[in-house]
Amino acid sequence: METNLSKTYQPKEFEERIYENWLKSGSFRAVPDKAKKPFAIVMPPPNITGQLHMGHALDQTLQDVLTRWKRMQGYCALWLPGTDHASIATELKVADEILASEGKSKDEIGREGFLERAWEWKRLYGGKISLQMRKLGNSCDWERERFTMDEGCNKAVREYFVRLYEKGLIYRGNRLVNWCPSCGTTLSDIEVEHEEKNGTYWYFRYPGVDGGEGITVATSRPETMFADVAIAVHPDDGRYSGMIGQKVFIPLTGREIPIIADIYPDPEKGTGAVKITPAHDQNDFEVGERHGLPRPSCIDKKAAMTGLAGKYEGMDRYACRKAWVKELEEGGYLVKAEEKLIPIGSCYRCDTVIEPLLSDQWFVKMKDLAGPAIQAARGGDLRHVPDRFEKIYIHWLEEIRDWCVSRQLWWGHRVPAYYCGQCGEVTVSAEAPGQCAHCGAAELQQDNDVLDTWFSSALWPFSTLGWPEKTEELEYFYPTDVLVTGYDIIFFWVVRMVFSGMEVMGETPFRHVYVHGLVRDSDGRKMSKSLGNGIDPLEIIDHYGADALRFMLIAGTSPGNDMRFQKDKLEGARNFANKLWNASRFVIMNLLDEDGGFRPLADISSGGAALKDEDMWILAKAGEAIDEITRNMEKFELSLAAQKIYELIWSEYCDWYIELVKGRLYGGDEADQAVARAVLVKVLKDMLKLLHPFMPFITEEIWSFLPADGASAAALTAAAAGTTAAAGTSASAAASGTAAAGTAAQALLINAAWPSSETGAEWLAAGARLEKAMEAIRSIRNLRAEAEAAPAKKLKAFIMPSEGAAEAFAREEAHIKSLAGLASVTYINSREEAPADAASAVTGSAEIFIPLDELLDYKAEFDRLTKEKTKLEGEIARIGAKLANEGFVKKAPENVVEAERARLANYEEMAAKIGERLAMVEKKLI
């Protein structure tokens, strides 16, 4: 029967077992309970095409920390998981697989055949990331796992589309859209990644129809000149006031276009004149709308030139650009060319430069939807953490344009619109209509397009809880509490969820948006396949354990800021886990008797036990930590909470308290031993509770070996002696309700209550006394280290307490002698009473003197200093000779010569100090 932790911390030995125990016990399950307050988080659904990356690891660890904490606080805590169908990414991946395995394009196998293969691909690979997420320790309610294209989400999407359409908030129109020639679909504005790249502005002269000089404009896209419909100038630009209303030719085409006045051109930029091409530029489109201009197009959906480009028809847009510029230059129309940084928009999926094109698409009117979402933030119903993101959120909503939601894809939610073959009208319906709503004809064809992935994701906080049905879960858990997300998808997703939630439910979908940054590599670069700097979390977990990865991520992040992945921080987290493991093993070893049962624990809850100063100190420290960590958690300062837990465990409990009580554990006072054991267990349990949200596996494993709360010493011993269950498996036994009391009867830590703080004036006074002694111990240890005194050597110390501190030192003298390695302590009232030759240290409550005779082995010190002096003299001679060499001084760079001179001066100073110390030591040897 295993009654203690294994000798070494090996997370592989227990992480999978513990996760299965949690699942079997139903610990992740969240069922509406009116006796409890609800707490809910919906997981940002990762794409089914993806696999777990470091961004997921950070995002999901943050969510799990919050969920586990709230569960321990007594909330009915739901963390709802799921995956996203990811229209473009999945369609591209499935199409590539079909081409590779069958040698066919998606068009060759048809829509139905393609969708069959897409669903099969989803069944084979779509759940992979869900299984990977479990390796992190995610305490999701997996029984509620959702998929953005499951039947419930499908129903919600159709219902939402119809509602918006019936309110006039969805319309079909011919407007300018972002078109990806490679993916063959439209993109919303936020799916376009903007970057400034080196490019050229060409200045071309458009000759006047009247034979005059005409007007010069600058453009970075000369291939779109074929679709120009006007030249715009600012009405207040005096240079062109006489030209407004005149006409010019598009060079070499013979087409006439007017010069118009509009507020769009900036007189300070370029020539102040702008060519207007409504079919290929958003700003130009809006100018065209204001002036009723035509909208011809010269580039098609494959980024090839149309018939409007004349002899360049069918040519790639960039090949046309090169040839067209050459022709214009040869014709004398190129005035000049300037190399500049030019903003370029690219597809967020394939990096192809997008092409603004006119297209018949479905759009959501955003002005009416944006208003309530803005007010939710301004009115305090929605809070961003950190709050600086609120300004960005509001600014984006204030500037938002109508949202193009249709996509020319097959994988996704098909637009619930049906076109009549008889009258040509459209019927929008959540269910397939049997006949046209306008003429009654049965000849209906559903729209071929699917909806933007973010259209369905926008409904995630309420569709996953049962909407449009009025379910118990929707009533209980909505609105959810926190949305944890990276700043890179605030506009992709967060904004859309807020205005959709306000529209459908009348409330914000969550009360807080916790915004985190990106996980970058150690050099601060974004992790990417192209750079080859990605780090696989599963490999990290395999090598270091999930807890080390989780703690490193949490301790290293702060809301809204990027963090760097640093291996030394990861190793530090692993060392922290190892420290806790070894300390816990020591405690358990001292709890067990020779028969494997638990030794008696004093009842320290009633105040009757005789607590020593160190007991009251650690109990007070634990209480302070509980309060501080709870405050940190409430303010989403998770990294500060993690740092405080680290300090409590590593420094205060392991480095101090355990060392302070070792003598008592091995002493002959059985009652005092029981007190020490009780305090060790009490504080260890509180620390495990505090740490559990951050490092759930190791804390659950340690917890399973500790005595159950409230069990008497006799019961513990009897149960331990009689049980056949291993302590290490007690958690699973308790979960199934078959475990005996004691070692095997410990309830799962995941379901334990968050600790409450205890303190009092007596504890604080005891802590103040002990900390005076601890400060003295640290100072004496530093003196020993500086003098390189042998650790085993017992020293004599003279302590001059400050006013009011004498009693504390007298009371804690045993600890000072034991932990500072002292043979004796002499208390003095003045410096004159201190030894003449002594090393000294000053603390906040005393001056401490250690005779040098005590600290130093003069013979060994003399030998050491002599060797050091000889070494320094050799370096001084070598550098001196180099500097005496005129050739070196003249030929070497000045900074090199100066560096050598500085080194020489430093060595000479060191040699002088060593000489002084040698002289002093030599006197002692005489």
Side-chain angles (χ1 to χ4, degrees), residues 19 23 28 81 130 133-134 138 140-145:
Y19 199 83
L23 287 173
F28 301 163
S130 292
M133 289 190 287
R134 300 174 191 226
N138 292 355
C140 306
D141 187 344
W142 294 108
E143 294 180 42
R144 296 187 186 276
E145 185 175 9

Side-chain angles (χ1 to χ4, degrees), residues 807-820:
E807 180 187 352
F809 281 102
R811 183 160 176 160
E812 310 299 342
E813 183 178 314
H815 290 318
I816 298 172
K817 290 171 69 175
S818 172
L819 298 184

Side-chain angles (χ1 to χ4, degrees), residues 311-325:
K311 64 183 180 182
Y312 297 111
E313 182 179 3
M315 186 180 286
D316 173 76
R317 54 184 168 172
Y318 297 128
C320 171
R321 175 187 294 179
K322 185 176 180 180
W324 177 232
V325 169

Side-chain angles (χ1 to χ4, degrees), residues 233-238 240-241 244 260-265 267:
V233 296
H234 197 281
D236 297 333
D237 192 337
Y240 303 116
S241 57
I244 296 171
I260 63 173
D262 192 271
I263 59 171
Y264 168 58

Side-chain angles (χ1 to χ4, degrees), residues 307-452:
L308 193 62
K311 64 183 180 182
Y312 297 111
E313 182 179 3
M315 186 180 286
D316 173 76
R317 54 184 168 172
Y318 297 128
C320 171
R321 175 187 294 179
K322 185 176 180 180
W324 177 232
V325 169
K326 182 179 179 183
E327 186 177 356
L328 288 167
E329 183 177 12
E330 291 172 348
Y333 296 100
L334 176 62
V335 177
K336 64 176 181 176
E338 290 180 348
E339 298 300 314
K340 286 190 174 182
L341 286 174
I342 296 172
I344 302 292
S346 302
C347 174
Y348 80 113
R349 278 292 171 196
C350 68
D351 293 328
T352 302
V353 176
I354 62 101
E355 188 61 51
L357 291 179
L358 284 169
S359 181
D360 290 323
Q361 302 289 340
W362 289 93
F363 295 87
V364 175
K365 288 183 179 179
M366 287 309 308
K367 185 176 180 181
D368 290 346
L369 291 171
I374 292 171
Q375 185 53 42
R378 286 181 171 157
D381 294 328
L382 179 69
R383 182 184 161 221
H384 288 78
V385 181
D387 59 9
R388 69 176 185 270
F389 284 97
E390 182 179 300
K391 294 179 182 178
I392 302 171
Y393 164 94
I394 290 174
H395 175 75
W396 195 82
L397 278 169
E398 288 176 337
E399 300 296 321
I400 198 169
R401 291 197 290 245
D402 286 357
W403 174 19
C404 177
V405 293
S406 47
R407 298 289 181 271
Q408 289 62 56
L409 301 167
W410 289 348
W411 176 249
H413 301 275
R414 198 165 176 179
V415 175
Y418 302 82
Y419 301 95
C420 180
Q422 293 292 326
C423 69
E425 293 292 334
V426 62
T427 298
V428 172
S429 173
E431 304 296 334
Q435 61 184 29
C436 174
H438 304 278
C439 71
E443 190 181 335
L444 295 173
Q445 176 65 44
Q446 187 174 358
D447 196 303
N448 283 320
D449 291 349
V450 300
L451 291 165
D452 179 6

Side-chain angles (χ1 to χ4, degrees), residues 679-795:
V679 176
L680 279 167
V681 171
K682 155 72 175 162
V683 177
L684 178 56
K685 283 189 171 186
D686 282 350
M687 294 190 309
L688 292 175
K689 291 176 182 179
L690 293 171
L691 184 60
H692 178 75
F694 301 86
M695 302 179 83
F697 290 108
I698 187 174
T699 52
E700 190 75 77
E701 178 72 352
I702 294 169
W703 183 265
S704 71
F705 283 89
L706 296 175
D709 288 332
S712 68
L716 289 172
T717 304
T723 185
T724 58
T729 59
S730 63
S732 59
S736 62
T738 61
T743 52
Q746 182 68 294
L748 287 166
L749 174 57
I750 190 175
N751 298 317
W754 187 252
S756 57
S757 63
E758 299 175 56
T759 190
E762 186 182 0
W763 288 10
L764 295 175
R769 286 193 298 269
L770 185 65
E771 287 182 357
K772 289 180 174 64
M774 292 164 66
E775 197 176 11
I777 293 166
R778 276 191 291 265
S779 296
I780 295 169
R781 286 174 171 176
N782 289 339
L783 291 174
R784 295 182 72 111
E786 290 169 7
E788 299 182 3
K793 186 173 184 180
K794 297 294 183 181
L795 307 177

Side-chain angles (χ1 to χ4, degrees), residues 533-803:
N533 62 344
I535 297 170
D536 185 352
L538 297 176
E539 291 182 6
I540 298 297
I541 290 170
D542 186 63
H543 188 69
Y544 292 93
D547 287 326
L549 174 61
R550 289 169 61 109
F551 195 81
M552 181 274 291
L553 289 170
I554 294 294
T557 191
S558 61
N561 296 320
D562 291 346
M563 67 170 292
R564 295 189 180 192
F565 182 92
Q566 295 176 313
K567 192 174 179 181
D568 61 329
K569 298 290 180 64
L570 182 65
E571 290 173 347
R574 163 72 188 229
N575 292 341
F576 173 51
N578 198 61
K579 180 93 167 180
L580 173 63
W581 184 269
N582 290 335
S584 300
R585 193 169 186 278
F586 170 82
V587 171
I588 296 165
M589 178 181 69
N590 281 279
L591 292 178
L592 299 171
D593 61 24
E594 56 275 7
D595 297 321
F598 285 121
R599 298 179 189 276
L601 303 179
D603 182 3
I604 59 172
S605 61
S606 63
L611 296 176
K612 298 287 181 69
D613 281 2
E614 60 267 25
D615 302 326
M616 291 185 278
W617 171 78
I618 193 62
L619 289 167
K621 282 293 181 183
E624 290 169 8
I626 290 167
D627 289 341
E628 186 175 341
I629 290 163
T630 303
R631 286 194 299 270
N632 291 147
M633 300 288 276
E634 288 168 349
K635 294 189 288 185
F636 299 99
E637 297 169 343
L638 305 190
S639 63
L640 294 181
Q643 290 162 21
K644 183 62 182 176
I645 296 168
Y646 181 97
E647 180 184 323
L648 175 66
I649 292 174
W650 187 294
S651 176
E652 292 163 347
Y653 187 78
C654 296
D655 284 357
W656 280 108
Y657 184 68
I658 286 179
E659 296 304 315
L660 288 165
V661 298
K662 277 182 178 178
R664 293 164 61 192
L665 292 172
Y666 304 142
D669 187 337
E670 292 186 7
D672 188 46
Q673 285 181 8
V675 171
R677 287 193 294 267
V679 176
L680 279 167
V681 171
K682 155 72 175 162
V683 177
L684 178 56
K685 283 189 171 186
D686 282 350
M687 294 190 309
L688 292 175
K689 291 176 182 179
L690 293 171
L691 184 60
H692 178 75
F694 301 86
M695 302 179 83
F697 290 108
I698 187 174
T699 52
E700 190 75 77
E701 178 72 352
I702 294 169
W703 183 265
S704 71
F705 283 89
L706 296 175
D709 288 332
S712 68
L716 289 172
T717 304
T723 185
T724 58
T729 59
S730 63
S732 59
S736 62
T738 61
T743 52
Q746 182 68 294
L748 287 166
L749 174 57
I750 190 175
N751 298 317
W754 187 252
S756 57
S757 63
E758 299 175 56
T759 190
E762 186 182 0
W763 288 10
L764 295 175
R769 286 193 298 269
L770 185 65
E771 287 182 357
K772 289 180 174 64
M774 292 164 66
E775 197 176 11
I777 293 166
R778 276 191 291 265
S779 296
I780 295 169
R781 286 174 171 176
N782 289 339
L783 291 174
R784 295 182 72 111
E786 290 169 7
E788 299 182 3
K793 186 173 184 180
K794 297 294 183 181
L795 307 177
K796 296 177 182 177
F798 294 80
I799 299 177
M800 185 174 72
S802 57
E803 187 177 349

